[in-house]
Amino acid sequence: QVQLQQWGAGLLKPSETLSLTCAVKGGPFSDYYWIWIRQPPGKGLEWIGDISYGETTNYNPTLKSRVTISTDTSKNQFSLKLTSVTAADTAVYYCARAPKGLAGRFDYWGQGTQVTVSS
Amino acid sequence: DIQLTQSPSFLSASVGDRVTITCRASQGISIDLAWYQQKPGKAPKLLVYAASTLQSGVPSRFSGSGAGTEFTLTISSLQPEDFATYYCQQLNSYPRTFGPGTKVDI
């Protein structure tokens, strides 16, 4: 059974760097895209970006200048860094998995991490 | 970017009702569309992908259809556990985008 377990700091001050990690348990790390999504309070879902096993990354243009997604294949983990956070970055952040190839979908999700940016 | 709109944004229904949610894309996306269900405080759950393929373990009362720019998610007989918010998502091009959601309430 595939599980995505995520963790990271939940309270940040403006201008700090958000850092989250997602561990993949019970499934392979290759042949998938590894994804970060966020959801501001009371709002919809926003795709942040993804990374493939071959380290190719894709980022949302609205966040691209501040986002880095990376993998640690030795630990079956991937991470998100978002620099210079503001209150607008307050959200629940989710990690997810998408199989490569046709029929794209986000089939497994982490439990979510609430991140609050406040001075 | 491909924009997705959903209608209605809010739907009031009763147990046993047939419910249909529509998702429209700003340009053609073939069948590269998925539907998710989200309950308060929980991560979204995949229901349908490739417009009409039911994810393993999802009840057969859920079905998806459509191609190009117009898609629908149908719940044939609404059950108490189906009261939630539903999102469509396009996976045809980057950036991936989601619809604004449809809340199904009693």
Side-chain angles (χ1 to χ4, degrees):
Chain A
Q1 175 73 349
V2 175
Q3 286 187 318
L4 275 61
Q5 295 181 355
Q6 58 181 105
W7 65 89
L11 181 60
L12 297 172
K13 290 181 166 48
S15 81
E16 292 185 334
T17 295
L18 180 157
S19 183
L20 299 175
T21 299
C22 185
V24 181
K25 300 183 183 297
F29 203 67
S30 59
D31 297 328
Y32 294 96
Y33 292 98
W34 303 102
I35 303 143
W36 289 98
I37 305 106
R38 70 181 184 179
Q39 186 170 35
K43 295 189 177 181
L45 300 162
E46 179 181 30
W47 176 83
I48 298 171
D50 64 31
I51 188 167
S52 67
Y53 181 70
E55 301 296 323
T56 301
T57 54
N58 297 283
Y59 297 132
N60 193 319
T62 63
L63 299 168
K64 187 173 184 176
S65 64
R66 299 192 290 131
V67 172
T68 302
I69 297 175
S70 59
T71 60
D72 183 340
T73 54
S74 67
K75 296 181 179 179
N76 274 19
Q77 295 176 359
F78 63 107
S79 298
L80 169 70
K81 290 191 187 302
L82 181 67
T83 62
S84 303
V85 297
T86 70
D89 296 311
T90 293
V92 176
Y93 286 73
Y94 294 101
C95 59
R97 183 189 87 164
K100 287 186 176 179
L102 299 177
R105 70 267 192 196
F106 294 3
D107 58 354
Y108 287 94
W109 294 63
Q111 77 276 19
T113 300
Q114 172 67 53
V115 175
T116 301
V117 180
S118 174
S119 56
Chain B
D1 298 5
I2 295 175
Q3 309 299 321
L4 298 177
T5 57
Q6 288 182 234
S7 60
S9 54
F10 180 86
L11 190 158
S12 183
S14 301
V15 172
D17 284 354
R18 181 181 181 87
V19 167
T20 298
I21 300 168
T22 298
C23 178
R24 291 185 174 87
S26 59
Q27 63 191 74
I29 58 170
S30 186
I31 58 167
D32 300 328
L33 188 106
W35 290 95
Y36 300 87
Q37 176 194 66
Q38 187 179 32
K39 297 181 179 179
K42 299 294 187 182
K45 172 188 173 183
L46 176 66
L47 299 176
V48 171
Y49 63 94
S52 61
T53 301
L54 203 64
Q55 172 71 351
S56 176
V58 173
S60 59
R61 62 181 180 274
F62 291 92
S63 64
S65 65
T69 61
E70 187 155 334
F71 303 85
T72 58
L73 175 72
T74 299
I75 310 172
S76 60
S77 178
L78 200 65
Q79 297 302 299
E81 60 268 30
D82 300 337
F83 291 96
T85 300
Y86 294 84
Y87 294 94
C88 58
Q89 179 206 22
Q90 67 81 20
L91 299 103
N92 181 263
S93 65
Y94 285 102
R96 306 308 196 205
T97 48
F98 292 87
T102 295
K103 185 175 182 179
V104 177
D105 209 345
I106 298 174

